[in-house]
Amino acid sequence: MALPLSSKAAVLTAFKQPLEIKDDWPVKQPSELAPGECLIEMEYAACCQSDIHIRDNDWGADASIPLIGGHEGVGRIVAIADHTFGHHIQVGDRVGVKWFAKTCLRCEMCRQGWDGCCPEAMSSAHGLRINGTFAKYVVSFVDYVTPIPAQLDSATATPILCAGLTVYKALKLSNAKVGQWVAISGAGGGLGHLAIQYATIMGFRVIAIDTGEQKKELCLKLGAEKWVDFMESPDIIKDVQAAADGLGPHAAIVAAGHPLPFNQALSYLRSTGTLVAAGMPGGEAMLNVSIALIIAKCLNIVGTLTGNRQDIAEALDIAAQGKVKCVYSIRELSEVNDVMSEMKAGKITGKVLLKV
C-alpha cells in the first residue's frame, strides 16, 4: 500500500520543554524496515506519568532525543520487513505497542518471564530509547507487539498495554490471598483505577488511597471497600490500618514518583505484608524507613517494572471479558502538552487517550 513520506508526531527535542508537534516527521518506508521490524498505523496512544519523567529527565536516563514520546498504543500493521520469518502477525492485524519494543527472548531473565530485566529491554524502550507511540506511524518488532482481542475496541485496549499490565503484574506479585486486604495508592489515577478492578476480580479487598470527591466516588464505584483521603487524613498510617481490621493491609501497591507513599506503606502494612513498587518511579523516589522496622515486621519488598508477554495476554483477556474497564477521555495529539500539565497537577481521573 502507498504510505505517506511524512506524518504527524509529538517530539521531545529538549529536556524540561514541551513536546513539539510536527506535521512533517519522516515515515519509515517498508523498503527501509530491517528484518524483524513492522510499521504500525496508530489509532490511539495513552499518556503516562513516565512520559513526564522522560521529558523532564527525572531518571537521569538521558532519552535519545530528538525522540517521539509515548509507549502504550494500539494500531494496525501496515508493513512487515522483507526477510522476516516465523512471526505471528500479518499486515492488517490490530496490535498493541508496549513500553519495551523487544527483548532478546533467549537470556535467563527472558526464559524466566522477567522481560524487564533483559539487558536488551531498556535499550529498546519506546519513548525512551526508540521512537514511541505519539505519532501516526510507529516502527516496532514483530516478536513483541501484542495481538488485540477482537472483543476489545482499540480505545479500551490502549491503557491495558502499560497501566493495566503494570498493576496486574504487581497484584500477581503481592502475595495476597483471596479475602485479604490490599491498599492501592493513587487509586483514582490511570494505574490505580485499573488496579482496583483487577484486585477485585482476584478476590482481594481494596483500600483506595487518593484525594478528592470525584476520585472517591470512582474508587468506591469500581469495587474499593474502604477509602482514605491522604489530604484530609490526620494520620494516614493509623487510618489505613484501621480500615483493614486495625492490623493494616496484607499488601500495598504503590506506583508513584515520590518517596512518601512508599514509606507510609511500610509503616501501615501488617506484619509479613508485601510492598510492591510498581512501574518506574520518579528519580526522587526512595525508601528511608529504617531497616529495623522492615525486619521487625518481617516485610517483603518487591519491585516490578512491567509484565511479560503472558501477563499482557492475561490482562487483555480479562478486559475482553468485560471485567475491567478503563475510565478514559479522548483528546487530540496536539493537546499532549496540556494533558501532561494536567497529569502533573493531579487533575486527571482515569486515563487520557490521544487520537493519532
Side-chain angles (χ1 to χ4, degrees):
M1 62 181 295
L3 295 172
L5 296 178
S6 62
S7 189
K8 59 183 176 180
V11 183
L12 176 65
T13 58
F15 294 121
K16 303 185 185 299
Q17 298 298 318
L19 275 60
E20 293 188 22
I21 309 301
K22 296 180 178 291
D23 294 319
D24 58 352
W25 189 263
V27 173
K28 198 169 187 178
Q29 298 299 296
S31 61
E32 300 172 314
L33 295 172
E37 290 183 341
C38 59
L39 184 66
I40 305 164
E41 184 176 5
M42 302 302 297
E43 297 179 48
Y44 296 98
C47 212
C48 179
Q49 287 284 349
S50 297
D51 299 316
I52 299 173
H53 292 308
I54 292 170
R55 180 199 65 187
D56 295 342
N57 202 27
D58 290 335
W59 301 334
D62 294 328
S64 306
I65 58 177
L67 177 78
I68 298 172
H71 57 267
E72 54 183 333
V74 171
R76 290 191 180 274
I77 302 288
V78 294
I80 296 174
D82 290 338
H83 309 296
T84 298
F85 303 102
H87 52 85
H88 64 297
I89 59 170
Q90 304 296 328
V91 171
D93 286 355
R94 201 161 48 108
V95 297
V97 176
K98 306 182 293 298
W99 171 241
F100 295 130
K102 62 175 180 176
T103 65
C104 76
L105 305 177
R106 299 181 301 275
C107 70
E108 178 184 358
M109 293 296 100
C110 285
R111 293 195 302 270
Q112 292 183 349
W114 288 98
D115 297 22
C117 297
C118 170
E120 190 172 322
M122 285 302 292
S123 64
S124 65
H126 281 296
L128 178 65
R129 295 299 179 212
I130 65 175
N131 287 323
T133 55
F134 293 165
K136 188 61 179 175
Y137 292 93
V138 173
V139 175
S140 197
F141 295 84
V142 296
D143 285 337
Y144 216 72
V145 293
T146 299
I148 302 299
Q151 304 95 312
L152 278 180
D153 65 85
S154 297
T156 303
T158 295
I160 307 299
L161 275 300
C162 180
L165 172 61
T166 299
V167 297
Y168 177 66
K169 181 66 169 184
L171 288 162
K172 288 178 69 173
L173 295 174
S174 69
N175 296 319
K177 306 294 190 299
V178 173
Q180 292 186 337
W181 289 101
V182 175
I184 298 173
S185 295
L191 279 75
H193 88 285
L194 292 171
I196 292 173
Q197 297 175 71
Y198 280 115
T200 301
I201 291 166
M202 297 165 84
F204 307 151
R205 305 178 71 184
V206 175
I207 302 168
I209 305 172
D210 213 316
T211 186
E213 284 300 314
Q214 183 180 11
K215 292 185 177 181
K216 177 182 179 180
E217 181 180 349
L218 175 64
C219 291
L220 296 177
K221 177 182 177 181
L222 293 177
E225 292 187 44
K226 300 292 181 68
W227 164 264
V228 176
D229 191 313
F230 67 80
M231 291 295 290
E232 297 182 357
S233 172
D235 190 329
I236 190 170
I237 293 170
K238 288 184 178 180
D239 286 346
V240 173
Q241 289 177 329
D245 308 321
L247 299 174
H250 301 82
I253 308 299
V254 181
H258 192 278
L260 188 58
F262 293 93
N263 292 291
Q264 289 171 336
L266 290 174
S267 294
Y268 62 60
L269 278 167
R270 71 176 65 194
S271 294
T272 73
T274 300
L275 165 63
V276 185
M280 184 78 81
E284 71 276 21
M286 62 181 67
L287 303 179
N288 55 33
V289 170
S290 71
I291 296 297
L293 172 62
I294 297 172
I295 294 174
K297 296 177 69 174
C298 301
L299 298 177
N300 306 293
I301 301 176
V302 179
T304 174
L305 177 56
T306 185
N308 59 33
R309 290 173 296 162
Q310 179 62 29
D311 295 322
I312 188 57
E314 294 172 4
L316 283 169
D317 181 61
I318 292 169
Q321 296 175 47
K323 296 178 180 178
V324 168
K325 296 181 180 179
C326 183
V327 174
Y328 62 83
S329 58
I330 298 176
R331 310 270 284 270
E332 295 296 324
L333 180 62
S334 59
E335 301 177 76
V336 62
N337 291 308
D338 295 333
V339 172
M340 285 188 172
S341 296
E342 293 168 29
M343 288 177 62
K344 193 167 185 177
K347 296 180 178 179
I348 290 179
T349 299
K351 291 282 285 185
V352 174
L353 307 187
L354 301 172
K355 186 173 178 58
V356 295

